[in-house]
Amino acid sequence: QITLKESAPTLVKPTQTLTLTCTFSGFSLSSSGVGVGWIRQPPGKALEWLALIYWDDDKRYSPVLKSRLTITKDTSKNQVVLTLTNMDPVDTATYYCAHITVVIDNFDHWGQGILVTVSS
Amino acid sequence: QSVLTQPPSASGTPGQRVTISCSGSNSNIGSNYVYWYQQLPGTAPKLLISRNNRRPSGVPDRFSGSQSGTSASLAISGLRSEDEADYYCATWDDSLWVFGGGTKLTVL
């Protein structure tokens, strides 16, 4: 059974760096074809894809946020970490991590999400 | 501004058939599979349709998807109150993932 869970501070100040951690089980990021992505959703707004990392360390970023994003994986801990620098109130959102494989080719399992608020 | 264009809202009465459109371009829908997600209030999105028209296990056959050229559609037949949710189309665009702006479906 695949499960993912996001963790992060729920309140960050403007200009700070947000570190999001996705801890997962039921699959391994060292297995060929497996990946984990991040998606966010501001309150009352649409889903926005942020980044994706595959088992082979192939990393992809939203072109809109690429300069502020870094995604890494720790295979031994079954974790994927996403950092977003220079936080602004418009970055207030629920952040989701999700499982993907090259074969399935879409985000088929999602975490519950975590609401991060940016405010001074 | 989303790369994929969806109507912001749709509605129907119980038992009706409703469709939700998703318009893109040659670089996304025109050359990749389309996926549809259902997001019930306060929950994470759930995969509803895979690869244009495939239903994952457990998804009722009232839900169907289609794709033609640079557009795709989600159809829901026999509308039920529990179908009231936000629906998102998604696909790849030059190896990057993109979502539509979402459609809020109201069951009247």
Side-chain angles (χ1 to χ4, degrees):
Chain A
Q1 180 190 2
I2 291 175
T3 64
L4 305 99
K5 188 171 184 178
E6 306 85 354
S7 58
T10 57
L11 180 65
V12 297
K13 297 184 187 312
T15 76
Q16 286 186 334
T17 293
L18 171 66
T19 299
L20 294 149
T21 301
C22 178
T23 303
F24 55 84
S25 63
F27 66 94
S28 172
L29 249 185
S30 60
S31 298
S32 180
V34 176
V36 171
W38 286 94
I39 301 100
R40 72 177 180 180
Q41 184 174 38
K45 296 190 177 181
L47 299 170
E48 178 184 21
W49 173 74
L50 301 177
L52 168 61
I53 187 166
Y54 282 108
W55 85 103
D56 59 356
D57 216 35
D58 176 10
K59 301 173 185 178
R60 304 178 189 184
Y61 296 100
S62 162
V64 174
L65 294 166
K66 185 174 183 178
S67 63
R68 298 173 53 204
L69 290 168
T70 302
I71 190 168
T72 59
K73 60 181 174 67
D74 186 330
T75 305
S76 65
K77 293 183 179 179
N78 280 352
Q79 290 182 334
V80 169
V81 174
L82 182 74
T83 61
L84 180 59
T85 61
N86 194 23
M87 292 289 283
D88 182 272
V90 300
D91 296 312
T92 294
T94 296
Y95 288 78
Y96 297 98
C97 62
H99 167 270
I100 189 169
T101 67
V102 171
V103 172
I104 301 296
D105 209 26
N106 71 87
F107 295 109
D108 59 347
H109 292 84
W110 294 58
Q112 64 189 26
I114 185 167
L115 176 61
V116 177
T117 302
V118 184
S119 174
S120 55
Chain B
Q1 197 78 1
S2 302
V3 172
L4 306 178
T5 302
Q6 296 180 237
S9 64
S11 63
T13 56
Q16 261 191 333
R17 182 177 188 271
V18 297
T19 60
I20 297 171
S21 62
C22 176
S23 178
S25 65
N26 287 328
S27 66
N28 44 65
I29 294 178
S31 51
N32 295 284
Y33 289 119
V34 176
Y35 302 87
W36 290 91
Y37 292 88
Q38 177 193 58
Q39 187 177 32
L40 297 170
T43 69
K46 166 193 163 186
L47 182 65
L48 196 65
I49 296 290
S50 176
R51 295 196 170 189
N52 295 341
N53 54 22
R54 299 184 182 182
R55 286 185 306 277
S57 175
V59 174
D61 59 7
R62 301 186 297 105
F63 295 91
S64 62
S66 64
Q67 180 266 345
S68 178
T70 59
S71 295
S73 292
L74 172 71
I76 309 171
S77 59
L79 197 62
R80 304 177 68 161
S81 59
E82 57 260 40
D83 298 333
E84 188 160 289
D86 293 326
Y87 293 85
Y88 293 90
C89 60
T91 187
W92 293 96
D93 190 323
D94 193 22
S95 299
L96 304 177
W97 190 257
V98 291
F99 285 102
T103 298
K104 183 175 184 60
L105 175 63
T106 301
V107 181
L108 301 170

